[in-house]
Amino acid sequence: MSTNTDLVSYIQESEFETLLSEEKVVVVDFTATWCGPCRLIAPLMEQLAQEYKGRAKVVKVDVDNNKPMFKKFGLRSIPAVLIFKDAELAETIVGVSPYEQFSTAVSQLL
């Protein structure tokens, strides 16, 4: 994998399909270094990765480096968190949201 924080790693578009096929539940945080609101949910993604370790995979996608992937899902703004189950998009949360919204969405898919 590319750049890693403690539990949440950055992935490239080329790694995306493989990840979806290997993991049952995948949380994808579309983010950018210049995005202020993205920095607000970064700790929430770390917390989510910790809470669901071994049950759900949390990753980040830098939209500046992966524009086609961003457009593929029809996203227009960030932060945008997409949650996949069995390689299918199950939930989309756009904007800054409370931690409970992310954790509830993930727990419903497990």
Side-chain angles (χ1 to χ4, degrees), residues 1 4 11 15 18 20-21 30 50-51 58-60 62 64 66 75-76 103 109:
M1 296 266 158
N4 294 318
I11 63 162
E15 302 166 285
T18 307
L20 287 184
S21 66
F30 284 87
Q50 183 68 50
E51 185 176 337
V58 181
V59 296
K60 289 179 180 264
D62 186 317
D64 291 329
N66 296 278
L75 299 172
R76 289 189 188 85
S103 62
L109 298 173

Side-chain angles (χ1 to χ4, degrees), residues 35-97:
C35 167
C38 297
R39 286 196 283 276
L40 295 175
I41 68 163
L44 304 182
M45 293 300 109
E46 293 284 339
Q47 186 180 345
L48 202 64
Q50 183 68 50
E51 185 176 337
Y52 293 98
K53 194 174 185 177
R55 295 183 292 157
K57 181 80 176 160
V58 181
V59 296
K60 289 179 180 264
V61 171
D62 186 317
V63 296
D64 291 329
N65 299 330
N66 296 278
K67 283 189 173 71
M69 196 172 160
F70 182 68
K71 289 190 173 106
K72 175 181 169 183
F73 295 108
L75 299 172
R76 289 189 188 85
S77 62
I78 51 175
V81 176
L82 276 55
I83 306 172
F84 295 84
K85 180 180 181 176
D86 298 324
E88 295 291 319
L89 179 59
E91 181 92 31
T92 303
I93 302 168
V94 177
V96 177
S97 299

